[in-house]
Amino acid sequence: MATSNNTSIMYPVMPTDIGQVLPFGRLLQRRGSGRLWIGQSLRLDTHQIFAALAGMGVRVPMGSGVTLAPLRHPYDAAVQARSVAALSGTPYVAGIGPATPEFQRSLLDSAYGKPLTAMREYVTVMRGLIQGDVVRYEGEYHSLEAQLFSLEAPPVEIGLGVLRPRMARMAGAVADVAVTWMTPAGYIGDTLLPALADGAADTGRKTPRVATVVHVAVARPGRDIRLTALSGAGAHLRAEHYTDMLRRGGVEAYPDNPEAGADALVETGVFVTGTPDEIAAELDRYRRHGVDEVVLNPAGVLNTEGLGATMTDLQDILAAVDRRRG
């Protein structure tokens, strides 16, 4: 089931029951393509959700977008990622992010003074373990001498959450996938992709493919799109690192005014809306700017109207995407 240059789905909230996620997986399974992404869940653990789905017969490619490094040692992260690949029987993308400094301080002795260094070390250790190496590593943040027990499993790709050029360059040097979230298409093509390519050139690696999570909602009678955008993106619109990225991409968003930020997302097309066919056409703009995998994020509709309306939107958008792609 190829996912490169494809359209995937994000389950965008922390679930409390596997039944909330199951329809997303079943939809992709019926469609026959696309990856199911879930972010860091602190209710039901992300990896255990994937394992439960696999046990229920949902065998679709899966990916974390993203889990947070302070929660687990890279050895455990490697075990978890490989377990999902083995249980699902499909390739897995282990997307990792550093979390906010506040979250880091809540779990660690202190926040990462050098978050790029911390993530580079984390990914380096994790990759070596997944490759089956005996990893002997002594870093500023992560150190170990260990090897995973052998286990046959489909491939695991390592992803890094990427918003700004410095992280993009580092991801280019060490990651397989750059996972971007709410990033304007032009900003990806003009700013992030060149940084990814530079980082890859530094280490002689292939430039990571790009998976971009895109907020979507079909314009329907009675649906308040601006309220939907605020409900889906409001938490990120209150975060300085997200709004800084958006301003770099030409979207006027500030953490002290998420309402105006939501309006700006809609007006600039970063929150993609319209008819299903119009949405499908707009998603192609991301592909033209170098995105390999567009990940539909229906958070706004899920938060305001529930699962039924969300599934209708996803089915209609994917059908339009598939018609467009022949």
Side-chain angles (χ1 to χ4, degrees), residues 10 48 170 172 251 255 286 317 322:
M10 166 71 69
Q48 295 191 43
M170 195 273 285
V251 180
Y286 283 86
I317 294 168
D322 293 342

Side-chain angles (χ1 to χ4, degrees), residues 150-172:
S150 62
L151 177 70
E152 289 294 321
V156 172
E157 294 180 292
I158 299 179
L160 274 175
V162 170
L163 290 179
R164 292 179 284 192
R166 290 181 64 219
M167 181 63 89
R169 182 161 190 148
M170 195 273 285

Side-chain angles (χ1 to χ4, degrees), residues 215-235:
H215 283 281
V216 294
V218 176
R220 300 190 186 276
R223 178 173 287 172
D224 184 334
I225 289 297
R226 281 177 163 76
L227 177 63
T228 303
L230 179 62
S231 180

Side-chain angles (χ1 to χ4, degrees), residues 87-103:
L87 292 169
S88 68
T90 63
Y92 181 68
V93 176
I96 310 293
T100 63
E102 294 77 16
F103 190 84

Side-chain angles (χ1 to χ4, degrees), residues 45-295:
D45 177 75
T46 303
H47 302 93
Q48 295 191 43
I49 294 167
F50 288 140
L53 290 172
M56 298 173 79
V58 178
R59 304 298 177 92
V60 299
M62 300 171 180
S64 59
V66 295
T67 53
L68 303 179
L71 285 169
R72 51 177 51 90
H73 190 280
Y75 188 99
D76 184 55
V79 171
Q80 297 280 353
R82 192 181 62 174
S83 297
V84 174
L87 292 169
S88 68
T90 63
Y92 181 68
V93 176
I96 310 293
T100 63
E102 294 77 16
F103 190 84
Q104 294 162 18
R105 280 193 292 269
S106 72
L107 297 179
L108 307 173
D109 291 339
S110 61
Y112 300 137
K114 302 174 184 176
L116 295 181
T117 299
M119 295 311 299
R120 187 177 191 123
E121 292 178 0
Y122 197 102
V123 169
T124 299
V125 168
M126 191 174 169
R127 180 183 301 286
L129 291 168
I130 287 172
Q131 290 174 170
D133 300 340
V134 177
V135 178
R136 296 181 176 89
Y137 191 88
E138 188 70 34
E140 188 172 346
Y141 295 95
H142 300 100
S143 302
L144 85 162
E145 181 173 348
Q147 181 180 29
L148 290 186
F149 289 92
S150 62
L151 177 70
E152 289 294 321
V156 172
E157 294 180 292
I158 299 179
L160 274 175
V162 170
L163 290 179
R164 292 179 284 192
R166 290 181 64 219
M167 181 63 89
R169 182 161 190 148
M170 195 273 285
V174 299
D176 303 305
V177 184
V179 183
T180 81
W181 185 294
M182 212 165 67
T183 35
Y187 173 76
I188 296 169
D190 296 341
T191 301
L192 296 184
L193 273 179
L196 286 166
D198 287 346
D202 289 343
T203 55
R205 300 184 73 252
K206 180 181 177 182
T207 302
R209 66 185 184 90
V210 178
T212 296
V213 181
V214 181
H215 283 281
V216 294
V218 176
R220 300 190 186 276
R223 178 173 287 172
D224 184 334
I225 289 297
R226 281 177 163 76
L227 177 63
T228 303
L230 179 62
S231 180
H236 291 105
L237 289 170
R238 293 178 177 88
E240 177 56 43
H241 56 306
Y242 275 95
T243 54
D244 175 69
M245 173 275 294
L246 287 168
R247 292 192 300 274
R248 293 176 189 228
V251 180
E252 289 298 310
Y254 297 89
D256 61 349
N257 193 347
E259 293 81 8
D263 289 348
L265 290 183
V266 175
E267 290 161 6
T268 58
V270 176
F271 188 99
V272 181
T273 187
T275 67
D277 288 313
E278 288 169 342
I279 291 172
E282 185 65 14
L283 296 177
D284 278 344
R285 187 164 63 93
Y286 283 86
R287 297 187 177 93
R288 290 194 296 272
H289 282 87
V291 173
D292 302 283
E293 184 176 347
V294 175
V295 184

